[in-house]
Amino acid sequence: MRFPTRLLAANLFFAALLWAGYLVLIALITLGISIFGEVSGSVWEPAGQLPRWYVLFTGVTLVREYLPMYIAHGQTRRQFGGQAAITIALFAPGVAALMTAGYLLENGLHALAGWPQGLSRPHLFASTSQVGLMFTEYTIEYLVWATAGALIGAGFYRWQGGGFLTIPVGVALVLVAAGATGTELRIPFVSRLFGFDVDLPPGLPVTLGVGLGVFLLGLALTWPIIRDVPLRNQQG
């Protein structure tokens, strides 16, 4: 099967290339901080804000760019929807593994240099040695961000400017996922703008249940938008 395997492999390969370059950049920033100041904790942690936007963009692209391409080459919308869901479900843990590996490599660098490895915001994990919890948190986060991206991408593809109406729904999905993992969503004014914040009881079962539930809800909301969407001329 060419899709989703080929598309998944291409996206994971590109993500790995970006991760390698980003890792070098963050290492250089860390060294710069050590020269001109003091390294007081993890630098990879705040750097983790950017990859979620890449994951979101991947979800948007999956629908806006690849749906018309694969439909035009004989895939049904139902086939595309199912295989796109598989792509997201496998892409998210792949990127989460890269994010987790970044923490482990940073741990080694900090150990060699004698720097502390502290966290500056709440997480599902309490330290960067808890590999399983790190991987779980970022997997859930990226599952939801990619699905929110697919939902928003589907809305803009089908309704063009009307796709703005899907943005609050996507943000709500992301906020619930952040509540499920016990993390802070540091996007200025988002929680205040949309009028709610999510505070769920701690515990891995709650995290997994709510996180996977939000992922499935996002897919369920996306499917009615694309199930009979007409193909658009991308040049128009």
Side-chain angles (χ1 to χ4, degrees):
M1 184 189 300
R2 293 183 177 181
F3 178 75
T5 53
R6 179 172 292 182
L7 180 62
L8 175 64
N11 276 284
L12 286 176
F13 178 73
F14 186 59
L17 290 179
L18 290 177
W19 171 82
Y22 197 47
L23 191 68
V24 172
L25 175 63
I26 299 305
L28 292 175
I29 291 174
T30 303
L31 292 174
I33 292 173
S34 70
I35 293 171
F36 297 104
E38 181 179 353
V39 178
S40 58
S42 174
V43 182
W44 186 249
E45 179 199 26
Q49 305 291 315
L50 187 58
R52 58 170 56 143
W53 292 102
Y54 165 69
V55 172
L56 179 80
F57 177 76
T58 300
V60 171
T61 303
L62 186 64
V63 175
R64 283 190 58 83
E65 300 298 327
Y66 291 103
L67 183 147
M69 180 188 305
Y70 281 92
I71 297 303
H73 285 80
Q75 290 274 353
T76 66
R77 288 159 180 78
R78 182 176 297 275
Q79 287 173 324
F80 176 86
Q83 294 171 352
I86 294 172
T87 299
I88 292 174
L90 297 177
F91 177 74
V95 180
L98 294 175
M99 190 67 192
T100 302
Y103 276 109
L104 298 179
L105 291 171
E106 183 184 60
N107 286 347
L109 175 62
H110 282 223
L112 288 173
W115 298 327
Q117 180 72 1
L119 299 171
S120 62
R121 63 185 180 92
H123 288 277
L124 184 62
F125 52 95
S127 78
T128 55
S129 62
Q130 296 175 307
V131 176
L133 291 178
M134 286 192 295
F135 176 75
T136 299
E137 175 180 317
Y138 286 107
T139 294
I140 290 174
E141 180 176 282
Y142 295 152
L143 279 174
V144 175
W145 278 73
T147 306
L151 172 65
I152 294 169
F156 276 97
Y157 183 79
R158 176 156 195 159
W159 300 308
Q160 298 183 343
F164 280 105
L165 296 176
T166 61
I167 293 178
V169 181
V171 171
L173 295 176
V174 166
L175 288 174
V176 173
T181 56
T183 60
E184 290 181 353
L185 186 63
R186 291 188 175 177
I187 304 176
F189 310 115
V190 164
S191 296
R192 188 174 302 175
L193 177 64
F194 287 89
F196 73 100
D197 196 4
V198 180
D199 186 16
L200 297 173
L204 190 57
V206 172
T207 297
L208 292 173
V210 174
L212 294 177
V214 173
F215 165 60
L216 294 175
L217 175 61
L219 294 178
L221 293 173
T222 304
W223 170 241
I225 301 175
I226 68 172
R227 65 182 299 176
D228 59 353
V229 63
L231 296 184
R232 296 187 177 276
N233 183 352
Q234 299 286 30
Q235 302 299 323

